[in-house]
Amino acid sequence: MSRKPMVRPGGRSARVQEAVHTAVRELQAEVGRPELTVPLVAARAGVTPSTIYRRWGDLQELLSDVAVEHLRPDAPPQDHGDLSADLRSWSEQFIEEMGSPIGRAYLRDALLGAPDGDNAARCSAYAAEQIDVMLARAAERGEHIPDVESVLDRVVAPMMYRILFRPGDLTAAYARRLVQEALDDLDGPGTSR
């Protein structure tokens, strides 16, 4: 009879991660990011530096992990009764949060860590999951809907480009325009919502 390893939900690993993540966030607020070091974070978290090096590899990987966790949505998008309103509201919130100096710093950290691209993929999956929720609700209401990839390409990708490379013109109006254009294209040329 083979035995499956017992998996403890949470446990010490989860406690260490939470303590280290909390230490990073607190220290960033107190001393600033340039002053962060693995020994400083370890002392605040109550772990040894070797624990951090073993789990995260280096400070950049740790900062990336903290950023990805921060970027994970904590609730599904609000339901405003139709896809257009849902996407407009979500995209306005997205551009406001991600376009803020803190949001851009978290995005940069997320992208700089995990050389295999896993953290960037996780961030992309967060957006795709949120969009999928809105599209599923719209489909249940009988609305004509685009696919997730189309919304990512037409709404999220342009916002991300502006957030990362041209942050000077990040407005709710820009986000609403992207949504409107994506939905107009779904309906065909010459139609509007």
Side-chain angles (χ1 to χ4, degrees), residues 71 98 103-112 160 163-164:
L71 295 172
M98 299 301 150
R104 287 195 318 270
Y106 277 124
L107 284 170
R108 282 190 300 273
D109 281 342
L111 295 174
L112 287 174
M160 287 300 295
I163 288 166
L164 292 171

Side-chain angles (χ1 to χ4, degrees), residues 4-22:
K4 287 186 178 180
M6 188 170 142
V7 177
R8 291 185 335 190
R12 183 180 188 289
S13 181
R15 287 190 304 274
V16 167
Q17 178 175 329
E18 180 58 33
V20 171
H21 279 215
T22 299

Side-chain angles (χ1 to χ4, degrees), residues 5 35 40 46 49 51 70 75 80 99 106 109 125 145-146 153 156 183 186 190:
E35 301 303 317
L40 187 64
T51 298
H70 176 81
H80 297 279
Y106 277 124
D109 281 342
I145 62 168
D153 289 345
V156 179
L183 294 177
L186 175 67

Side-chain angles (χ1 to χ4, degrees), residues 22-96:
T22 299
V24 168
R25 289 189 302 271
E26 289 173 355
L27 288 166
Q28 280 180 317
E30 291 171 21
V31 301
R33 182 167 172 216
E35 301 303 317
L36 284 182
T37 64
V38 169
L40 187 64
V41 171
R44 173 66 63 95
V47 300
T48 64
S50 65
T51 298
I52 293 175
Y53 289 121
R54 235 184 351 267
R55 180 164 183 157
W56 286 280
D58 61 23
L59 183 61
Q60 185 56 58
E61 286 295 319
L62 171 58
L63 293 174
S64 182
D65 192 49
V66 170
V68 169
E69 187 60 28
H70 176 81
L71 295 172
R72 183 172 48 92
D74 54 3
Q78 287 186 310
D79 187 347
H80 297 279
D82 71 78
L83 180 59
S84 179
D86 287 353
L87 282 172
R88 280 193 315 267
S89 174
W90 181 84
S91 66
E92 289 172 11
Q93 181 180 354
F94 184 93
I95 206 165
E96 179 183 325

Side-chain angles (χ1 to χ4, degrees), residues 121-138:
R122 286 173 51 202
C123 290
S124 177
Y126 296 156
E129 289 164 5
Q130 293 273 295
I131 292 165
D132 192 48
V133 167
M134 291 181 280
L135 296 179
R137 287 191 307 229

